[in-house]
Amino acid sequence: MDLKEFRIRARKIINDPGLTYHQRRHKLALLAEELVEYPPLGDEAKKALDERVICDLYEGHAPYRPRYILPDYEKALKQGSEFLELDPPTNLAEALNFLTILYSQVPSITGFPVYLGDIDRLLIPFLEGVSDDELYHKLKLFWRAVDRMFPDGFVHANLGPEDTRVGRVIFKIERELKQVVPNLTLKYDPEVTTDELLLEGIKTVFAVGKPHFANHPMMVKDLGEKYAVVSCYNSLKIGGGSHTLVRLNLKKTVEKHSGDIESYFKETLPHYVELTLQVMEARIRYLVEEAKFFEHDFLAQEGLISLDQFSAMFGIFGLAEAVNLLMESKGRNGRYGHDEEANQLSYRITDVIAEILAQRPLPYCDGNGGKAFFHSQSGIDLDVDVTAGTRIPYGDEPEIFEHITAVAPHHYKFQAGISDIFHFENTVQNNPQAVADIIKGAFAQGMRDFTFNLADGEFVRITGYLVRRSDLEQMKREKRSRYDSTVLGYNAVENQGIFQRKRRVISREQTPGTH
C-alpha cells in the first residue's frame, strides 16, 4: 500500500457515518499497521500468504499484543494492581468495580477483552452476607455495564461446572437483559454439574442463544484445571493465551495439489502445514522479541499472565471441500458428513496435521510443551464457498445423530477449540430435557463443545459469537451498529449462508427404533 492509497482509505474510514468513534479509531489503527513491513518470511510462505492458502486473519503486519489474553483474575483480586492503583477488593461491590476497571486494560486482537473470567468462581469469596436480592441487583448493573462498555460479541465469560448462586443469577439476568455481550460458556462435568443448572443453561439458550456447553473433563485433560473458553470458542490456559491464530485453507491445498491422494498426504499437505508454521513463528518472534510485549505490559509484570502459559493456534478451515474434492479425484460421489469413506478421509487429514504439530517445535509456546495448539477455525465474514473449520456445509447436514457421529472423532484432536452449531426448531422449547440428553450423548461420543440455537430465535450464532436479528435489520437499514461484531455477522450472513443451516426437530418418532 502506498501513501496515496493509505490516505484514501483513511479518509473513507474517518468520514464513514456508519462507524462509531471507537470503531473508526480501531480501523485507523489496523490501517496504520498495514503500512509496516511484515515480519521476515521465506519466499514460499510469503507466496502462500499472498495467495490466501494461508490466512493470518488480518491480525496486522506487526503484532504488538497477543491475539487472545486470559488474565488470572483470581490472582488479581487477591493481590490488587499496583499499575492500576487498586487495592484488593473486600466486598462484592468492590470486586465488581475492580474487575470492570481491569477489563478495560486487557488488550486483544479485537481491542476488547476476550475473557472476563470464570465469573461464578471469582465472586464466591465476596458473597458472605450478600442476600439473593442484593446479588441480583449488583450483578445486573455489572452485566449491563459490560455490554455497554465492551460492545463486541467476542467478549466472553465462563460459568461452571459447579452449580453456584452466581451462575443461576447470571442465567436469570441473561434471560431478562437479552444482550449480545458477553458471550458465555457453561463448563459441563457429568460428575459435578447438576441437571438443574444444565437445564437453566438450556432455557437461557432458548432466550438469548447462549451459553456454549463445554466438555469439562476433556478440557481439563488437555489444558489442566485452569483453562477457559474465550472469544468464539477458543479454549486456552488461564494466565496465558495465544500469541496468534493463523489458519490453513484445506480446500486450496487440494486445488494446489497435482498427483494422487497418497502424494497429497506425503507432500502437499505437510508442505503447507510447514509454511503455515513458518508464518506463525515469524509473528510470534516479532511479538516477543521485537515488540517485547511481555517485558513491558503490566499484566506480565504483575504476574497476571506469564509467557510460559502461552502458545499459538494453528487453525484449519475448508475440510469439507478438501475431502469432497479428493473424493471426486478418486471418481467417488461420497460427501463429507454422509459417506463413511469421505469421513475416514477427513479423519486422516486432521490426524496428519495433528501429528506434524506434535513434532514441530515453535518458540515461546511452553503453554503447550513448545508446540502449537490445533484449532478448528470457525470462519470469517470474508469466506465464500468454503466451510468453517471441520464443519459440514450449511444446508447439507445429515440428521443430528449421524451429524454428531460424523464430526465427533475430530474433536479430541483440537485442544484449542472446535465447534459444530445445531439449529433446532423452536418447538424444542417444549422439551429442554431432550436437549440435555443430546448434549450428554454428544459429550459421551467425544464432542468437546456443543452449541445450538433456535431456528427462529432473535439471537443468531454466527461463527462462535452472537448477533441479534434486530441488529442485523438495523445494519441493513442504517448501515451501523454499536456492536463491532454485528458488522462481521451481517457480512457472514450475506456470504456464508448462515440461515441455510438445517433445522432439527428432536423426535424419536422420526426414526423409530434406530436410536
Side-chain angles (χ1 to χ4, degrees):
M1 177 170 58
D2 60 24
L3 196 54
K4 180 180 179 183
E5 181 186 354
F6 173 81
R7 285 172 172 160
I8 293 172
R9 291 173 62 183
R11 184 74 68 186
K12 186 176 180 181
I13 293 169
I14 292 168
N15 292 345
D16 189 341
L19 298 176
T20 65
Y21 161 74
H22 181 92
Q23 291 164 349
R24 292 182 202 199
R25 188 179 62 178
H26 185 60
K27 284 181 174 290
L28 286 170
L30 293 174
L31 182 63
E33 283 184 65
E34 290 188 42
L35 280 178
V36 181
E37 292 181 352
Y38 209 89
L41 288 176
D43 291 342
E44 287 189 280
K46 184 176 185 308
K47 182 182 178 188
L49 189 62
D50 291 341
E51 293 176 341
R52 312 313 293 175
V53 181
I54 298 170
C55 174
D56 63 3
L57 292 168
Y58 308 95
E59 287 183 347
H61 290 188
Y64 58 93
R65 72 293 196 204
R67 181 180 182 87
Y68 299 132
I69 295 176
L70 289 72
D72 187 338
Y73 293 114
E74 182 179 3
K75 184 176 184 179
L77 288 167
K78 288 179 180 175
Q79 72 180 27
S81 172
E82 183 178 347
F83 178 78
L84 295 175
E85 300 181 51
L86 292 173
D87 293 329
T90 60
N91 57 46
L92 180 61
E94 290 179 5
L96 296 176
N97 177 259
F98 182 100
L99 289 171
T100 306
I101 294 170
L102 183 50
Y103 294 157
S104 72
Q105 301 298 313
V106 178
S108 79
I109 196 64
T110 66
F112 296 108
V114 296
Y115 175 55
L116 301 182
D118 288 43
I119 200 70
D120 47 357
R121 290 188 185 184
L122 290 176
L123 296 181
I124 286 176
F126 305 98
L127 297 183
E128 187 174 348
V130 176
S131 69
D132 289 347
D133 188 57
E134 181 184 0
L135 178 62
Y136 165 77
H137 285 288
K138 283 189 165 62
L139 276 178
K140 192 169 184 177
L141 290 173
F142 172 67
W143 223 238
R144 182 180 288 133
V146 164
D147 178 83
R148 303 306 189 271
M149 294 174 66
F150 313 111
D152 188 86
F154 302 102
V155 175
H156 203 135
N158 287 206
L159 298 173
E162 296 84 3
D163 189 345
T164 64
R165 286 172 67 198
V166 172
R168 290 197 179 222
V169 169
I170 284 179
F171 281 144
K172 177 183 177 182
I173 291 171
E174 281 282 357
R175 295 193 292 266
E176 291 177 357
L177 293 180
K178 295 181 169 55
Q179 299 176 162
V180 168
V181 180
N183 203 346
L184 201 59
T185 287
L186 174 62
K187 298 176 177 179
Y188 176 77
D189 185 335
E191 300 296 324
V192 177
T193 310
T194 65
D195 284 350
E196 290 77 14
L197 185 66
L198 178 61
L199 288 171
E200 282 293 298
I202 291 167
K203 293 174 183 174
T204 306
V205 178
F206 294 158
V208 292
K210 50 185 169 177
H212 297 279
F213 299 87
N215 185 335
H216 183 67
M218 180 181 283
M219 295 289 196
V220 171
K221 179 175 179 292
D222 289 338
L223 300 168
E225 286 283 348
K226 293 190 69 171
Y227 80 91
V229 181
V230 308
S231 187
C232 278
Y233 55 87
N234 309 283
S235 40
L236 296 163
K237 290 187 175 180
I238 295 172
S242 180
H243 300 298
T244 184
L245 167 54
V246 181
R247 61 179 191 159
L248 178 61
N249 185 334
L250 293 173
K251 177 186 178 184
K252 285 202 170 186
T253 66
V254 176
E255 291 174 340
K256 291 284 183 183
H257 175 66
S258 59
D260 59 17
I261 286 184
E262 288 308 310
S263 62
Y264 173 78
F265 280 107
K266 290 180 180 176
E267 299 166 10
T268 303
L269 182 58
H271 172 69
Y272 281 108
V273 171
E274 170 57 26
L275 295 183
T276 306
L277 287 162
Q278 289 177 18
V279 174
M280 295 173 67
E281 181 167 347
R283 298 187 62 79
I284 295 168
R285 287 195 181 281
Y286 188 91
L287 172 70
V288 178
E289 297 174 358
E290 300 292 329
K292 301 183 186 300
F293 174 84
F294 294 94
E295 294 182 25
H296 57 67
D297 191 88
F298 84 98
L299 293 170
Q301 292 174 338
E302 297 189 2
L304 305 183
I305 59 172
S306 175
L307 180 57
D308 62 11
Q309 295 299 302
F310 274 77
S311 182
M313 298 164 71
F314 182 107
I316 60 169
F317 68 117
L319 177 68
E321 288 76 17
V323 169
N324 294 344
L325 287 171
L326 289 172
M327 290 292 287
E328 288 175 16
S329 73
K330 295 173 66 176
R332 307 293 178 81
N333 295 322
R335 306 191 315 281
Y336 174 55
H338 298 268
D339 178 84
E340 183 56 25
E341 184 180 3
N343 292 344
Q344 290 299 326
L345 198 54
S346 76
Y347 307 146
R348 187 178 176 190
I349 291 174
T350 53
D351 279 343
V352 166
I353 300 172
E355 288 169 8
I356 295 173
L357 298 186
Q359 299 299 319
R360 169 63 152 83
L362 272 181
Y364 309 112
C365 287
D366 290 347
N368 191 36
K371 312 292 167 45
F373 282 126
F374 201 8
H375 178 67
S376 176
Q377 205 280 325
S378 58
I380 61 175
D381 60 321
L382 301 177
D383 292 341
V384 178
D385 296 329
V386 62
T387 301
T390 52
R391 291 178 186 167
I392 298 170
Y394 303 146
D396 193 39
E397 302 100 324
E399 292 303 325
I400 188 166
F401 300 104
E402 286 72 25
H403 190 159
I404 290 171
T405 303
V407 299
H410 289 296
H411 278 228
Y412 78 92
K413 305 169 197 173
F414 291 86
Q415 317 98 316
I418 179 170
S419 174
D420 297 275
I421 299 173
F422 298 93
H423 210 49
F424 289 159
E425 281 282 0
N426 286 28
T427 52
V428 76
Q429 294 175 92
N430 299 324
N431 194 358
Q433 184 59 51
V435 181
D437 292 341
I438 289 175
I439 293 172
K440 292 178 181 179
F443 287 163
Q445 286 289 316
M447 290 192 73
R448 179 181 296 275
D449 177 282
F450 190 93
T451 302
F452 77 96
N453 59 229
L454 295 180
D456 297 313
E458 162 69 353
F459 286 75
V460 181
R461 186 69 72 177
I462 302 296
T463 55
Y465 65 96
L466 287 164
V467 298
R468 293 184 298 208
R469 287 178 190 269
S470 54
D471 291 327
L472 292 174
E473 286 300 315
Q474 182 191 34
M475 192 70 210
K476 183 177 182 180
R477 190 175 58 249
E478 304 175 16
K479 307 297 181 189
R480 66 183 179 88
S481 172
R482 72 177 177 85
Y483 291 111
D484 286 10
S485 43
T486 302
V487 179
L488 302 177
Y490 180 80
N491 293 334
V493 167
E494 294 290 310
N495 293 334
Q496 297 174 355
I498 299 294
F499 291 138
Q500 295 174 17
R501 288 174 181 145
K502 192 167 185 177
R503 292 167 178 253
R504 314 308 179 97
V505 178
I506 301 176
S507 168
R508 290 179 182 275
E509 287 73 18
Q510 282 186 308
T511 52
T514 59
H515 302 292

